[in-house]
Amino acid sequence: MNDTPGWASPGSAPSDGQKPDQSGPAEPTDRPGPAQPADQPAEPGRTPQGPGPQWSKEQPPPAQWSAPSGPAVPGQAPPPPPPGPGWGTQPPGGHGPGGYGPGGRPGHGAPGGWGSGWGGPPPAAKPGVIPLRPLGVGEILDGAVSTMRTYWRTVLGISLTVAVLTEVIVVLFQGLVLDEATTDALNDPSATLSELTRAMGDAMLNSTVVFVISLVGTVIATALLTTVTSRAVLGTSVTIGEAWRDARPQVLKLFGLICVLLLITVGVVTVGALPGLLVTVAGNNGAGVALTVLGIIGAGIVALWLAIRFSLASPALMLEKQGIKKAMSRSAKLVQGTWWRIFGIQLLATLIANVVASIIVIPFTLLAAALSGDGLTGWLNSGVGSLGWTFLIISGIGSVIGSMITLPITAGVTVLLYIDQRIRREALDLELARAAGVQGYGSPAPGATPGS
């Protein structure tokens, strides 16, 4: 595509920003210069030189000199008043002191620059779903929703296709492989140890297969939606076929990245729980249980820290065409110093997605239980529920609808967080503006001079 920005050539180091322009309004040229001090009268018979009105030869006594007033000299315009605070008008959408100037660069609101009597800078360009400047939390969430709303055919087409294919495989596997005997054994208090072991093994196999299938679907949806969101930032649409052609070379790498991150998480939790398990095996059950709990809590904190640190690796791998290791190092560099901010935004997006999914999935699950053989009361009392075809199909429909809405939100937030961090650290907004065809973005207007 011709409008693709240079994702594959990230900046080598974060930009330090630009110092605010120290030039202020130009001084009126009709004020007395050094050759004619303001506290001395003009010499008799001498006429002031330079542009501006001609001063009268008769001046007040020393220490009482002031600018002339009264009727204007014929054919000569009166001197303009000096600019004071608030001179000029505030452009729509501009920022005051401490705001952003052209290109989204902070610092133009310092004294002597934008906002110190000159009004605010022009608003940031917005060729697509977000303005090309550092983003706030609301703008990131709004950008993800706007992408889904503006390009709904492509976005919902991708998420619906992936969700339907994934759920069909899951329903067929649960209905054909996981038989009724498994759930009966788990619900039977009088089941033998061998029956419980076999049932738990089947349940774990079922959960593992469902997780892997869901993971594959999520990886494909994330790859395609990353491409769509990156084009939405430029204000250009993309079809499902174009998104697949662009994302296909990186899909296997993205799947490998997700597997690496999962292995890291499992390894951290295992290392944290291992000392407590060893103490328990040695015979000290009380101390072993306590040590295991503390180890799992500590490992969970470390795993969460690593998850946020590498949370931008997926868009870095897809948009910069990086390998797994390089994508993880890029994510760590972009997240450095802003871990809490990214954690908060990701947590908020996850909560919103889960609430939306729950609102959709829970009614379908209750309806499926009510229409199944045991009824709603039997389903609530059993704790596991029947896995009959009626229950699987109706609950699967709810899962498809929930995934169709939540997948674009979570994927879009991650991509926009990646773009936001690169705008803040590497001035990516300038490159995006050029790719979107924004004229003169980030550079002064032709013929403009400081203070004009």
Side-chain angles (χ1 to χ4, degrees):
M1 299 182 184
N2 297 328
D3 57 355
T4 303
W7 301 108
S9 57
S12 58
S15 59
D16 296 329
Q18 300 176 357
K19 295 183 179 180
D21 186 7
Q22 298 299 325
S23 60
E27 293 292 334
T29 56
D30 53 6
R31 294 184 181 177
Q36 184 67 40
D39 56 351
Q40 295 182 8
E43 298 179 8
R46 183 175 178 179
T47 303
Q49 301 296 326
Q54 302 297 322
W55 305 111
S56 173
K57 296 181 180 180
E58 298 181 0
Q59 297 296 334
Q64 298 182 15
W65 191 92
S66 59
S69 59
V73 179
Q76 189 73 32
W87 178 75
T89 57
Q90 180 82 2
H95 299 272
Y100 299 100
R105 303 276 67 79
H108 289 285
W114 292 110
S116 59
W118 284 86
K126 189 179 180 181
V129 295
I130 59 170
L132 300 183
R133 56 169 172 75
L135 304 175
V137 178
E139 290 172 325
I140 292 176
L141 297 174
D142 180 71
V145 176
S146 297
T147 301
M148 182 172 59
R149 184 176 62 248
T150 305
Y151 307 99
W152 62 271
R153 289 185 178 88
T154 302
V155 172
L156 296 184
I158 291 172
S159 57
L160 178 62
T161 301
V162 172
V164 167
L165 293 177
T166 302
E167 198 61 32
V168 166
I169 297 175
V170 169
V171 168
L172 290 177
F173 176 81
Q174 290 179 329
L176 298 176
V177 177
L178 189 64
D179 56 11
E180 194 73 19
T182 301
T183 56
D184 291 342
L186 293 176
N187 292 329
D188 187 6
S190 61
T192 63
L193 180 60
S194 60
E195 291 176 343
L196 287 176
T197 303
R198 188 183 312 110
M200 291 181 63
D202 292 340
M204 290 182 63
L205 176 62
N206 172 71
S207 301
T208 302
V209 172
V210 170
F211 174 77
V212 172
I213 295 173
S214 302
L215 177 63
V216 173
T218 302
V219 167
I220 295 176
T222 301
L224 297 176
L225 293 173
T226 297
T227 301
V228 174
T229 305
S230 67
R231 299 299 185 272
V233 171
L234 303 177
T236 58
S237 60
V238 59
T239 64
I240 298 178
E242 291 172 340
W244 172 247
R245 285 193 296 271
D246 186 73
R248 182 175 55 187
Q250 298 294 109
V251 170
L252 289 179
K253 292 182 180 179
L254 180 62
F255 185 77
L257 172 66
I258 300 300
C259 291
V260 168
L261 295 179
L262 288 175
L263 289 176
I264 291 175
T265 302
V266 173
V268 170
V269 175
T270 301
V271 170
L274 186 59
L277 296 177
L278 294 177
V279 172
T280 302
V281 172
N284 194 341
N285 293 334
V289 171
L291 187 59
T292 301
V293 172
L294 291 177
I296 291 177
I297 293 176
I301 295 174
V302 174
L304 176 62
W305 180 80
L306 290 174
I308 300 301
R309 182 176 176 83
F310 298 131
S311 61
L312 303 184
S314 172
L317 182 142
M318 293 301 303
L319 298 178
E320 298 180 17
K321 310 302 180 185
Q322 303 282 3
I324 296 176
K325 183 178 179 181
K326 182 62 177 178
M328 294 174 66
S329 65
R330 283 285 293 150
S331 176
K333 177 182 177 181
L334 293 174
V335 173
Q336 185 178 7
T338 58
W339 189 94
W340 284 106
R341 178 177 180 270
I342 294 178
F343 167 72
I345 296 176
Q346 292 277 32
L347 178 61
L348 180 61
T350 302
L351 290 176
I352 293 175
N354 288 335
V355 168
V356 173
S358 299
I359 293 174
I360 297 173
V361 172
I362 290 177
F364 277 90
T365 303
L366 296 177
L367 178 62
L371 296 179
S372 62
D374 296 334
L376 181 60
T377 304
W379 180 79
L380 293 175
N381 292 333
S382 66
V384 177
S386 173
L387 293 179
W389 287 106
T390 301
F391 181 87
L392 291 175
I393 293 174
I394 296 178
S395 61
I397 293 174
S399 299
V400 167
I401 298 175
S403 299
M404 183 180 64
I405 296 176
T406 57
L407 275 176
I409 294 178
T410 54
V413 167
T414 301
V415 175
L416 294 179
L417 265 175
Y418 160 83
I419 294 175
D420 173 61
Q421 288 301 110
R422 285 197 61 183
I423 288 176
R424 293 173 181 270
R425 294 178 179 268
E426 300 170 359
L428 182 65
D429 53 332
L430 303 180
E431 192 171 355
L432 292 175
R434 287 193 295 269
V438 179
Q439 300 295 329
Y441 185 81
S443 60
T449 57
S452 60

